[in-house]
């Protein structure tokens, strides 16, 4: 089949696994027994999954376009520069 749906589903499964691990660690470390608090934590994780999947979809399409127009040799330069610029933006927003 096409590679895009395969990439999207594997990314979704990987993110669901990370969310499961994060919620399990949170549940064990805080020892929360209240069902409403647990449901709030789960409901906060679902939009995070949707946003990360949207970001992954946009990144995948941008990489495909850059690979198509630049070629294989210039493609990796674009990836490295995007990582450097993205890292700078993240540092700017967090600090």
């Amino acid at each position: 089949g096409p590679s895009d749906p395969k990439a999207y589903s594997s990314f979704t499964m990987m993110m669901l696994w990370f969310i499961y691990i994060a919620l399990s660690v949170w549940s064990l470390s805080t020892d929360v027994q209240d069902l409403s608090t647990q449901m709030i934590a789960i409901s906060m994780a679902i939009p995070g999954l949707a946003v990360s999947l949207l970001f992954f979809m946009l990144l995948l399409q941008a990489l495909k376009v850059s690979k198509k127009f630049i070629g294989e040799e210039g493609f990796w330069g674009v990836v490295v520069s995007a990582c450097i610029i993205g890292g700078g933006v993240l540092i700017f927003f967090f600090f």
Side-chain angles (χ1 to χ4, degrees), residues 5-68:
K6 290 178 186 178
Y8 299 151
S9 65
S10 63
F11 179 78
T12 303
M13 288 299 165
M14 183 184 69
M15 289 303 297
L16 285 172
W17 182 71
F18 284 139
I19 290 172
Y20 172 74
I21 297 297
L23 288 174
S24 295
V25 168
W26 170 78
S27 177
L28 288 174
S29 65
T30 59
D31 197 30
V32 174
Q33 300 297 327
D34 186 24
L35 183 63
S36 64
T37 305
Q38 292 175 1
M39 293 303 291
I40 290 171
I42 292 170
S43 65
M44 288 174 44
I46 292 171
L49 174 66
V51 168
S52 65
L53 183 60
L54 180 65
F55 180 72
F56 178 76
M57 292 168 76
L58 292 174
L59 181 65
L60 185 63
Q61 294 304 318
L63 290 176
K64 281 185 171 188
V65 168
S66 67
K67 190 174 184 180
K68 179 180 173 185

Side-chain angles (χ1 to χ4, degrees), residues 86-95:
V89 168
L90 285 175
I91 290 172
F92 176 76
F93 283 121
F94 283 121
F95 299 108

